[in-house]
Amino acid sequence: MKTAPANQRGSALLIVIWAVVLLAGLIAGMVATGGSEAALTSNMINTARANHLAAAGVQHAILALLDPDMRAKLLKQSPTEFSIQLADDATISIRIQDSCGDIDLNWSPPELLRAYAMTAGLKTAAAGKFSEAVTAHRQASPHASAAWQSVRELGRLPGIGGAEFAALSPGLTVNCREAGADPHRAGVAVKRALLLAGTNGSVSHELAYQVESRATLVSGAEVRLRASIWLSLDDGKPYRIAAWERF
């Protein structure tokens, strides 16, 4: 039997080695791709679960608000916060706030808007421009009582950057539909604004609420939802969700 020359045997061995290297690289790539796809699928599942749990938190808050006794108990101090711990250590954190403790962009008079902007940290001139811009937008809209659909829309105004928005947004709403704010449900900046504007505010009608729900899983996945709720005196439809957003 003839034996292949040494140089041929060496070439064949080199080809085999390269084939093994390429095959190993291909297998490693397939494993890595499979692992990435598995991780991506796991992340999607966790995010979807967190989203459903956050939505469940909103519904839990609505059920509490529909019970007059529970609502009175929860809202002795607004906002009120509580958490639900699940068996797998996932947590749902819920925050309920009477929307009429805030200043409504669609209903509040210019002097109250200006006073609030000043208590929120804007200088006098900037506060005046803010008030003028908010009321001008209302006047330009065919539906002035709903010209502002979201507090986030303030970011479109000239001079309202990230810092200004962060300072202003906590005490503003589009969900109360009253010209004043209830000082018993208001935060510090809103209370100061009422005093500065020379108004006593208005008593809450206790129909409008903002609910924030945050679901956190042990995996680290987290989803936060915010809903604007209106209670109704209609037994057929006891509530409606006026706005729903993820933030």
Side-chain angles (χ1 to χ4, degrees):
M1 181 174 64
K2 293 182 178 180
T3 302
N7 60 341
Q8 292 184 11
R9 293 199 302 272
S11 297
L13 179 61
L14 184 61
I15 290 171
V16 170
I17 292 173
W18 274 111
V20 171
V21 170
L22 290 173
L23 183 59
L26 180 62
I27 293 173
M30 293 175 65
V31 170
T33 300
S36 298
E37 290 180 350
L40 180 61
T41 300
S42 177
N43 289 338
M44 291 175 63
I45 291 173
N46 285 331
T47 300
R49 181 165 183 265
N51 189 73
H52 286 301
L53 289 177
V58 172
Q59 295 299 328
H60 183 85
I62 291 173
L63 286 175
L65 289 170
L66 290 175
D67 183 325
D69 294 334
M70 181 64 72
R71 182 169 70 247
K73 182 179 179 180
L74 284 174
L75 297 173
K76 283 183 178 178
Q77 179 179 354
S78 181
T80 184
E81 301 179 10
F82 58 95
S83 298
I84 301 172
Q85 192 79 27
L86 303 183
D88 63 352
D89 289 333
T91 303
I92 305 175
S93 301
I94 301 169
R95 185 178 189 268
I96 305 174
Q97 181 173 349
D98 187 328
S99 292
C100 290
D102 292 332
I103 294 170
D104 196 306
L105 288 171
N106 290 313
W107 290 73
S108 295
E111 56 271 19
L112 180 55
L113 290 167
R114 182 172 57 253
Y116 172 69
M118 292 175 64
T119 61
L122 271 65
K123 294 183 178 179
T124 303
K129 291 180 180 179
F130 166 77
S131 175
E132 291 171 1
V134 171
T135 53
H137 180 68
R138 293 197 314 222
Q139 293 167 358
S141 173
H143 304 290
S145 62
W148 293 97
Q149 294 291 311
S150 169
V151 174
R152 289 192 176 192
E153 293 177 0
L154 288 178
R156 304 173 187 172
L157 295 180
I160 303 299
E164 290 79 10
F165 179 81
L168 289 166
S169 58
L172 297 174
T173 186
V174 295
N175 197 44
C176 176
R177 302 184 184 179
E178 291 286 345
D182 189 334
H184 301 292
R185 307 294 177 90
V188 174
V190 174
K191 289 179 180 178
R192 289 177 178 171
L194 292 170
L195 290 173
L196 185 60
T199 176
N200 294 324
S202 55
V203 178
S204 171
H205 47 57
E206 299 187 350
L207 294 176
Y209 299 91
Q210 179 174 279
V211 174
E212 294 181 3
S213 176
R214 183 181 71 228
T216 307
L217 308 187
V218 291
S219 65
E222 181 178 286
V223 170
R224 297 192 295 171
L225 298 177
R226 179 186 292 125
S228 297
I229 311 297
W230 262 86
L231 303 185
S232 171
L233 301 178
D234 182 1
D235 292 335
K237 192 175 183 180
Y239 75 92
R240 67 183 178 87
I241 299 178
W244 185 285
E245 63 179 333
R246 184 169 171 173
F247 70 105

